[in-house]
Amino acid sequence: LLQEGRYPATQQIDSGNLDIVPTGQDYVRFRLMHFFYHEDNPFSAAYSTVPRLYDRPNQTGSLSWVRTIDSKTINEVLVSASHDAARLNIDTTSGLYDRTKYGINYPFLFPGTKDLANKIPTVKFDATNSGITAMDGSTYPSHSQGEIFDFSDTFTRVIGDHTFKAGALYERSGENDRDQIAFSTSTAGQTNNQNGQFDFNGTNNKNGTGYDLADAALGLYYTYAEVGARAETPYRANLYEFFAQDSFKATPRLHLEYGVRYTSIHPYYS
């Protein structure tokens, strides 16, 4: 079997910077970046039956305010946020994904729960017996997205030969994960496909003919697996960090840097 297809991929990065000096003691910086990525993968599942569309937009923004309190004292506040998404879909324009085109009409074990109701099942053969590549119906469509928010404050003070710094950081992160179906098709009884997986194994199927292709022709599958409604898990986490340090110019030839840092990373919860 020889198949050809175009695999276009598009990437674009847009960025913007804005610096404002409202007073002689204040400096405000704004940064914004937008990353765009899109690909059309005709053979994401070996054959061209379920071509994948992949979109991954990402946005990052930050706002910084530096305040010069006096000639020896500075304070900086930084707030940032980022958003990332992964959207993976099936290109249905060719119609090759549709199982009804091939006379496949068996009822699902979990009807009414499929993201793409008529998508073909995965059909897997024992490679050592037949040498045939699995017809993979794929894990998709699926998506996930999440955000990260950071807030920090850093205080700097110069006293004699010492430059003291102290600060704190708080981070809030999370993800809405709707991509929780296994990618592997290698384990009997496991499926990467919400719409089902047939495993034909002439070696292990004691009720078969001993040959994968013959079993497939007769409908004697070794295992069948199917997944119901796809789960979506929202999970969140917090991070806290504090530090203090000193840069000491002991002599013109000796500088000492020392400090402490405490970080508390809390596990994700849902």
Side-chain angles (χ1 to χ4, degrees):
L1 176 63
L2 176 63
Q3 294 182 311
E4 295 182 351
R6 297 177 66 249
Y7 189 167
T10 303
Q11 296 187 59
Q12 179 176 322
I13 298 178
D14 302 307
S15 62
N17 303 320
L18 178 63
D19 295 352
I20 303 174
V21 184
T23 71
Q25 293 178 292
D26 297 288
Y27 175 42
V28 179
R29 295 178 298 180
F30 177 71
R31 302 289 184 264
L32 180 65
M33 186 194 74
H34 173 74
F35 172 74
F36 172 80
Y37 179 85
H38 175 84
E39 71 173 30
D40 298 344
N41 187 346
F43 303 118
S44 64
Y47 302 108
S48 61
T49 48
V50 283
R52 186 185 69 191
L53 303 176
Y54 182 22
D55 290 290
R56 188 177 180 181
N58 178 284
Q59 301 85 30
T60 302
S62 66
L63 178 64
S64 172
W65 174 31
V66 180
R67 172 72 173 179
T68 302
I69 300 172
D70 56 44
S71 61
K72 296 183 179 181
T73 310
I74 296 176
N75 191 76
E76 179 178 5
V77 176
L78 175 63
V79 179
S80 66
S82 66
H83 171 265
D84 177 79
R87 304 185 182 102
L88 301 106
N89 292 296
I90 301 298
D91 185 353
T92 60
T93 54
S94 69
L96 296 177
Y97 79 98
D98 190 344
R99 69 179 194 154
T100 62
K101 283 183 172 291
Y102 313 101
I104 303 174
N105 57 7
Y106 67 90
F108 289 120
L109 297 177
F110 306 101
T113 64
K114 311 308 178 188
D115 294 331
L116 190 57
N118 286 329
K119 188 182 70 168
I120 59 173
T122 293
V123 180
K124 180 178 175 293
F125 298 91
D126 179 10
T128 59
N129 186 292
S130 67
I132 297 177
T133 302
M135 185 183 72
D136 191 351
S138 87
T139 305
Y140 311 113
S142 68
H143 75 266
S144 62
Q145 63 178 6
E147 296 83 24
I148 299 176
F149 302 96
D150 286 279
F151 176 83
S152 66
D153 186 29
T154 303
F155 178 81
T156 304
R157 174 71 174 176
V158 177
I159 302 177
D161 294 326
H162 296 267
T163 300
F164 296 101
K165 282 190 176 185
L169 166 69
Y170 168 69
E171 180 176 281
R172 173 73 169 177
S173 61
E175 184 88 5
N176 291 345
D177 188 358
R178 201 169 186 270
D179 191 9
Q180 300 183 61
I181 295 179
F183 291 92
S184 173
T185 63
S186 60
T187 303
Q190 178 183 11
T191 176
N192 71 331
N193 190 344
Q194 190 183 34
N195 293 39
Q197 174 176 320
F198 292 93
D199 184 8
F200 294 98
N201 191 311
T203 302
N204 296 328
N205 189 356
K206 303 307 179 184
N207 297 317
T209 65
Y211 299 96
D212 293 0
L213 289 179
D215 287 354
L218 295 173
L220 302 175
Y221 54 87
Y222 177 50
T223 63
Y224 174 76
E226 184 181 316
V227 179
R230 186 188 295 267
E232 179 168 353
T233 303
Y235 51 90
R236 305 289 184 265
N238 297 303
L239 178 149
Y240 304 90
E241 188 169 86
F242 307 91
F243 80 94
Q245 69 181 57
D246 177 29
S247 177
F248 175 39
K249 186 178 179 181
T251 71
R253 295 186 178 183
L254 177 61
H255 287 206
L256 300 177
E257 301 277 348
Y258 51 91
V260 294
R261 183 179 296 271
Y262 172 78
T263 304
S264 176
I265 303 175
H266 294 226
Y268 281 100
Y269 66 90
S270 180

